Amino acid sequence: MSLEVADLAISFRGARVVDGVSFAVDDGERLGLIGESGSGKSLTALALLGLLPDGAEVTGSIRWKGRELVGRADRELARVRGDEIGMVFQEPRTALNPIRPVGRQIAESARIHRRLGRRDAARLAVELARQVALPDPEEIVSRYPHQLSGGQRQRVAIAMALACDPDLLVADEPTTALDVTIQAEVLDLLGRLADERGMSLVFITHDLAVLAQVATRGVVLERGRVVEQAPVPQLLSKPSHPVTRGLLRDATATLWRPEGSDD
Ligand SMILES: Nc1ncnc2c1ncn2[C@@H]1O[C@H](COP(=O)(O)OP(=O)(O)OP(=O)(O)O)[C@@H](O)[C@H]1O
Ligand SMILES: [Mg+2]
């Protein structure tokens, strides 16, 4: 078990917004966190990364490779975050510096976290651009973020996260801002990269169709609580909680459904 979250609770001024959340992620497993807007997905993700906003009070336990992360100093968390746990967020623009070529930004990430020299880091940036299937990697690394499409920017953000060679990638709605075709490509890419690298994934979405494309197991949240937790095929064919059934109704893309399901 590489990640174990137990009874995680997050409050702001005494108001609990995440309330007793527990789940675990095995090495190389792809877990989806799903729920409606405001159900506590992003705060749970930020807690894993030690990036909760000021004023958040946290209790419970987040064990990463056997070490407790709750209550650790910011500096130690920053190290775990860079070296072992990577992240990708919804809007890649905010992750990217608008006035630096994207290759330099990928390389910077590699220099800091893998302690590579300038030339090796630059070489790795091109290699990572290729791995995330950016067109013409040698050329594209010299472009600025505004010279890329939204899907390409998200690929750069993924490359930056991969530059740290993380064991776990936390991705919070990484494809929501993209159009459907590009979204499917990026989801496919994330799944493939996770498999190739043996990297675990915690993937956040409000869309069960998206979850089904990338995760093997899903944790369903409602108002800060886990209401259902099951392998994805089961969530699709036999959702046991009304919230999950609602998510199934609202799922956007054409869902793959297991045989024998008549819904
Ligand atoms: N800094 C904050 N101060 C107070 N309350 C907050 C803060 N950040 C989030 N919350 C509240 O915590 C709850 C969970 O927020 P969170 O961002 O985790 O939801 P989410 O599931 O990611 O929703 P979405 O799908 O809209 O991104 C919400 O009710 C939100 O209003
Ligand atoms: Mg969110």
Side-chain angles (χ1 to χ4, degrees), residues 17 29 32 46 80 130 138 143-144 148 167 236 238 253:
V17 287
E29 187 182 9
L46 291 171
V80 172
R130 182 171 318 181
E138 308 264 355
R143 293 207 213 155
Y144 292 88
L148 303 181
D167 300 315
L236 301 181
K238 290 194 206 75

Side-chain angles (χ1 to χ4, degrees), residues 1-254:
M1 215 52 86
S2 55
L3 178 71
E4 270 186 281
V5 176
D7 209 17
L8 179 70
I10 302 169
S11 310
F12 291 95
R13 290 203 213 94
R16 278 207 171 182
V17 287
V18 170
D19 193 4
V21 166
S22 302
F23 60 86
V25 184
D26 265 329
D27 286 344
E29 187 182 9
R30 300 195 235 142
L31 181 85
L33 286 185
I34 185 162
E36 284 160 9
S37 183
S39 57
K41 306 180 296 292
S42 291
L43 286 176
T44 302
L46 291 171
L48 303 180
L49 298 161
L51 286 176
L52 283 170
D54 288 344
E57 300 142 40
V58 192
T59 60
S61 165
I62 300 172
R63 290 185 83 78
W64 167 246
K65 294 183 175 178
R67 286 168 297 161
E68 180 59 55
L69 297 187
V70 172
R72 288 248 225 136
D74 285 350
R75 211 158 43 91
E76 290 175 73
L77 289 172
R79 194 174 316 137
V80 172
R81 183 160 68 230
D83 293 352
E84 299 171 22
I85 306 182
M87 57 204 151
V88 184
F89 296 117
Q90 177 167 340
E91 184 36 75
R93 259 175 212 278
T94 56
L96 301 179
N97 182 335
I99 59 164
R100 300 199 73 194
V102 295
R104 292 256 294 280
Q105 300 188 53
I106 302 171
E108 183 95 329
S109 186
R111 273 164 61 81
I112 296 170
H113 297 289
R114 287 201 204 174
R115 291 156 199 98
L116 292 182
R118 201 173 288 277
R119 196 166 304 164
D120 286 339
R123 212 174 289 139
L124 180 67
V126 174
E127 173 51 30
L128 286 167
R130 182 171 318 181
Q131 283 183 28
V132 296
L134 281 163
D136 200 353
E138 308 264 355
E139 182 270 330
I140 211 165
V141 290
S142 60
R143 293 207 213 155
Y144 292 88
H146 73 267
Q147 297 172 315
L148 303 181
S149 72
Q152 290 171 341
R153 278 195 292 269
Q154 195 55 291
R155 286 169 200 270
V156 170
I158 294 168
M160 280 174 72
L162 294 180
C164 312
D165 199 16
D167 300 315
L168 167 68
L169 185 67
V170 178
D172 188 351
E173 308 250 18
T175 60
T176 308
L178 307 176
D179 77 49
V180 177
T181 333
I182 307 297
Q183 176 166 320
E185 283 174 19
V186 173
L187 291 173
D188 186 57
L189 172 73
L190 276 173
R192 195 161 44 73
L193 290 169
D195 281 349
E196 282 169 12
R197 297 172 162 252
M199 179 175 76
S200 313
L201 198 59
V202 170
F203 187 95
I204 290 177
T205 176
H206 60 274
D207 188 340
L208 195 50
V210 167
L211 180 100
Q213 283 181 63
V214 77
T216 53
R217 205 155 54 81
V219 173
V220 184
L221 294 176
E222 183 197 29
R223 279 186 254 132
R225 291 171 181 265
V226 177
V227 293
E228 182 166 5
Q229 177 159 189
V232 168
Q234 190 179 323
L235 291 179
L236 301 181
S237 62
K238 290 194 206 75
S240 72
H241 196 276
V243 167
T244 318
R245 288 200 284 272
L247 291 166
L248 188 56
R249 267 195 307 276
D250 296 342
T252 53
T254 317

